Amino acid sequence: MIDVVKEFDAVHGTAPDGVWAAPGRVNLIGEHTDYNDGFVLPMALSHTTMAAARRREDGQLRLFSAQGDSRVSALAVTELTPGVVAGWAGYPAGVVWALGEAGHDVGGADLFFRSDVPTGAGLSSSAALECATAAALNDLYDLGLTPPELALVAQRAENAFVGVPCGVMDQMASACCTEGTALHLDTRTLEQRHVPLDFEAAGLYLLVVDTRVKHDLGNGAYAALRTDCERAAGLLGVPALRDLALADLEAADDRLPPELRPLVRHVVTENLRVAEAVNCLNGGDVRGLGAILTAGHISLRDDYRVSCPETDLVVEAAVDAGALGARMTGGGFGGSVITLVETATVPKVEDNITRAFSAAGFPAPRSFTAMPAAGARRIR
Ligand code: ADP
Ligand code: MG
């Protein structure tokens, strides 16, 4: 393994005070519900972003990432303002800024990052980078923040400093998940439950397939979907779409323009799928998750319209080869697909996906199996 302590030293010329790690995540179910005050069920991946860090007393922030632009970004903490830090350094700098905004006395730091979370693959490398930074500063400056508090700081960094209007799921997953559980989160109250999840004991694998495509329309489309959901909630006179039940859908259709109806249908049914999935897991029925995943994908494809040919093809090829279920995970327009597969069927499913991609002329996807891993923590 590459030694981040040595790498830190090579860049910053001294030893770090410690090393922290924060994971990427996959969301099992509950997509596009977090900005509608709804429910989500992510789990952390074993892939992490490591942050080796040392406190500085001169108010300087010096940032380097092995996955970045091969140079140290040197910034003065008191001069951090949204819009001034371009590129990847905006994520960790945004965390320092957000801590200051929240009234925490954070001075400078040297930071070195190394990550094996694929970036831009819908696996939340951005939250991993933010949460690793937040966990490091929390300890270096004795801030005493809890994991959910760190997640909110990280989200504020991404929303207000980097300028990405993401919901709170990714940061909550990266900060709060525990090994062997999925995180059942109410994004309105931030109430969270750790739901035991053991794929191995059920004879199953969760196969994550990174399509390696990210269609450009993603960011603009995401913001537009958020606005449309808020507009629909306003027209229906509810604080958020989370406040609608299945029984409200028919009446809601009469009060909404046609283009908003499928969006509302997705959010309402997706919240129900989260509840169903949690029931399955609590009842020890991990296999039952399969059909819920596929139903979630169809809803994202046909109602929310955020899937793309590549993610649709992975789902189709996986299910055709005997997977119990599959769905795109993350915001959509590319990224990754999760598929629930019996252990013995994994090679057949992987093979079918590879063949389908080759036949369609798409670049080969890459896949790995995932177990629910731990959230942000100090590792050295
Ligand atoms: P995702 O979070 O799904 O991976 P995002 O677009 O939200 O995709 O975030 C990806 C961006 O986050 C990258 O383009 C890069 O700017 C930044 N990033 C994430 N991890 C790292 C890292 N380890 N080093 C440098 N930049 C990173
Ligand atoms: Mg992200």
Side-chain angles (χ1 to χ4, degrees):
M1 194 182 101
I2 299 163
D3 188 347
V4 286
V5 170
K6 283 197 184 130
E7 288 188 304
F8 180 98
D9 196 333
V11 170
H12 295 296
T14 175
D17 293 332
V19 182
W20 289 259
R25 61 99 191 93
V26 288
N27 186 21
L28 294 167
I29 193 78
E31 213 65 75
H32 290 279
T33 50
D34 66 344
Y35 54 83
N36 288 300
D37 273 6
F39 298 87
V40 293
L41 189 68
M43 61 171 233
L45 295 172
S46 59
H47 301 68
T48 63
T49 296
M50 286 187 281
R54 193 178 79 99
R55 186 172 158 146
R56 289 179 72 102
E57 304 304 332
D58 62 357
Q60 288 292 305
L61 186 62
R62 295 173 61 82
L63 308 167
F64 186 95
S65 170
Q67 281 69 45
D69 47 13
S70 330
R71 60 183 191 90
V72 175
S73 291
L75 304 155
V77 171
T78 52
E79 283 164 25
L80 294 175
T81 342
V84 299
V85 184
W88 75 270
Y91 294 87
V95 170
V96 175
W97 169 82
L99 284 167
E101 286 282 292
H104 300 293
D105 190 14
V106 174
D110 288 334
L111 285 148
F112 176 92
F113 301 100
R114 174 170 285 285
S115 180
D116 63 354
V117 184
T119 54
L123 302 175
S124 227
S125 69
S126 60
L129 178 58
E130 293 150 7
C131 289
T133 308
L137 291 164
N138 190 35
D139 289 352
L140 289 180
Y141 282 92
D142 274 327
L143 303 179
L145 296 175
T146 62
E149 288 170 339
L150 293 176
L152 290 173
V153 163
Q155 185 204 11
R156 174 126 168 80
E158 187 151 344
N159 288 170
F161 198 88
V162 182
V164 177
C166 59
V168 76
M169 169 176 64
D170 297 351
Q171 292 80 6
M172 281 286 174
S174 186
C176 307
C177 277
T178 59
E179 194 177 339
T181 68
L183 183 72
H184 183 208
L185 177 71
D186 178 336
T187 65
R188 170 174 281 166
T189 63
L190 300 188
E191 189 188 336
Q192 41 178 281
R193 293 222 168 81
H194 298 277
V195 186
L197 173 55
D198 190 341
F199 290 115
E200 211 173 7
L204 301 173
Y205 270 131
L206 189 73
L207 186 70
V208 181
V209 184
D210 173 7
T211 63
R212 302 168 86 169
V213 296
K214 187 80 204 157
H215 295 291
D216 275 347
L217 71 168
N219 286 340
Y222 182 89
L225 286 163
R226 272 192 86 134
T227 309
D228 280 349
C229 286
E230 281 157 21
R231 190 154 66 93
L235 288 169
L236 295 170
V238 289
L241 295 183
R242 133 50 166 310
D243 298 299
L244 297 173
L246 203 52
D248 300 326
L249 275 184
E250 213 171 304
D253 276 358
D254 297 337
R255 299 169 61 186
L256 291 173
E259 76 274 13
L260 295 183
R261 293 172 195 163
L263 299 185
V264 174
R265 190 161 56 229
H266 168 74
V267 175
V268 171
T269 58
E270 186 78 350
N271 279 324
L272 290 173
R273 280 186 287 273
V274 175
E276 254 182 86
V278 170
N279 280 341
C280 277
L281 298 187
N282 282 334
D285 178 20
V286 182
R287 299 177 70 88
L289 203 56
I292 300 171
L293 297 184
T294 306
H297 185 78
I298 291 167
S299 182
L300 287 167
R301 185 191 67 194
D302 299 346
D303 278 345
Y304 222 68
R305 308 187 74 150
V306 292
S307 76
C308 65
E310 291 87 349
T311 49
D312 289 343
L313 189 59
V314 175
V315 171
E316 193 190 304
V319 172
D320 278 354
L324 299 173
R327 68 181 278 279
M328 52 154 277
T329 185
F333 310 106
S336 298
V337 171
I338 53 172
T339 157
L340 190 68
V341 190
E342 276 171 80
T343 311
T345 318
V346 169
K348 196 174 157 204
V349 167
E350 282 188 309
D351 188 54
N352 208 37
I353 294 168
T354 307
R355 272 194 285 137
F357 265 54
S358 166
F362 295 150
R366 62 186 158 200
S367 58
F368 59 89
T369 55
M371 300 280 180
R377 64 217 179 256
R378 185 171 190 156
I379 55 172
R380 252 184 273 175

